Amino acid sequence: MRVHKLTFAALAVAAGLSLTACQNDNAGTGQSDPSSPSTVSSGATASSSGGGSDSGSSDQGGAKNSAGTSSATNSGGTGTAAGTGSNANAKVGKCRTDELEITAKDNTIDGDPDGTVVVTLTNHSGRDCTVSGYAGVDLKTSAGSLSAKRTGQQAGSAILKNGKSTYFPVNYPFNKSGGSGVRITGLVVTPPDETKSVTLNWPGAATLPVTDGSGSPVKVGPVGSAGQGG
């Protein structure tokens, strides 16, 4: 009986050792198996963090991403809005006096009841600009400054391309009185919506008739209402 008991005991011990060995093998396998998923998980996390700004894998991460995205959107949006504002509105700056070459020439046609001087505005600013309305026109005379009156024609708005020109007329009465009249010594032009003027030589007739003070006999048309002349 002892022999049998010892044998059974030995078998039990052997079985126990075998079971322990199996458990150790499984435990080792258990440690090595998750190592592969860990690498995949790390890869997945990298992938998530790469797209995390869109999805936000956690509340905290989402908040950070959301804040970051909002900041980027706001700063980018502001820049875009500013750029879009100027481009979308297609606003072209007005033509400044210093950007225009202003000249005048006689354009009187034989048989006309009045004399005509055409003023040319040429854009040399290097950019397109807008010009519309009436220019200010004053004649410098021996009797003082004489401001031209507007004809009342409707003034349109136009974009003056760089290097291109536009024109407007100045009409004045001939001195047929037989007297010396009022001598014209210069032409002062102020482009539309500008305050800076240029003074030109007067290319028309030398004198105006003496007026009775009822108003200026000199008339100016809107920009774009005269041809090139000449």
Side-chain angles (χ1 to χ4, degrees):
M1 292 294 293
R2 279 187 182 180
V3 174
H4 288 292
K5 286 181 179 179
L6 289 174
T7 301
F8 288 134
L11 289 174
V13 171
L17 291 174
S18 175
L19 180 60
T20 300
C22 290
Q23 288 175 347
N24 287 338
D25 288 341
N26 290 336
T29 303
Q31 291 176 353
S32 60
D33 287 346
S35 66
S36 295
S38 176
T39 303
V40 173
S41 174
S42 174
T45 302
S47 175
S48 296
S49 62
S53 60
D54 294 329
S55 57
S57 57
S58 68
D59 292 340
Q60 183 177 0
K64 287 181 180 178
N65 290 332
S66 174
T69 303
S70 175
S71 175
T73 301
N74 289 337
S75 63
T78 302
T80 302
T84 303
S86 59
N87 292 334
N89 294 335
K91 287 189 175 179
V92 179
K94 67 180 181 180
C95 299
R96 299 288 186 179
T97 302
D98 291 338
E99 299 174 330
L100 296 171
E101 180 184 1
I102 304 175
T103 58
K105 63 189 299 186
D106 182 32
N107 195 41
T108 303
I109 299 175
D110 290 341
D112 282 354
D114 294 321
T116 301
V117 166
V118 169
V119 178
T120 302
L121 308 176
T122 303
N123 178 10
H124 64 82
S125 64
R127 64 178 178 87
D128 297 346
C129 60
T130 58
V131 59
S132 61
Y134 284 81
V137 171
D138 297 280
L139 298 189
K140 297 172 72 174
T141 76
S142 56
S145 180
L146 179 65
S147 295
K149 294 179 63 175
R150 298 178 177 182
T151 60
Q153 291 175 262
Q154 185 171 354
S157 179
I159 294 177
L160 186 59
K161 298 289 186 180
N162 181 47
K164 300 299 182 180
S165 301
T166 189
Y167 315 86
F168 66 86
V170 178
N171 302 113
Y172 62 96
F174 293 119
N175 179 18
K176 298 179 180 179
S177 65
S180 59
V182 178
R183 185 167 55 89
I184 304 172
T185 60
L187 171 64
V188 181
V189 176
T190 308
D193 299 321
E194 278 289 272
T195 57
K196 186 174 182 179
S197 304
V198 296
T199 301
L200 308 172
N201 292 326
W202 173 252
T207 62
L208 293 173
V210 177
T211 64
D212 57 5
S214 60
S216 174
V218 182
K219 303 290 191 291
V220 57
V223 172
S225 63
Q228 181 176 348

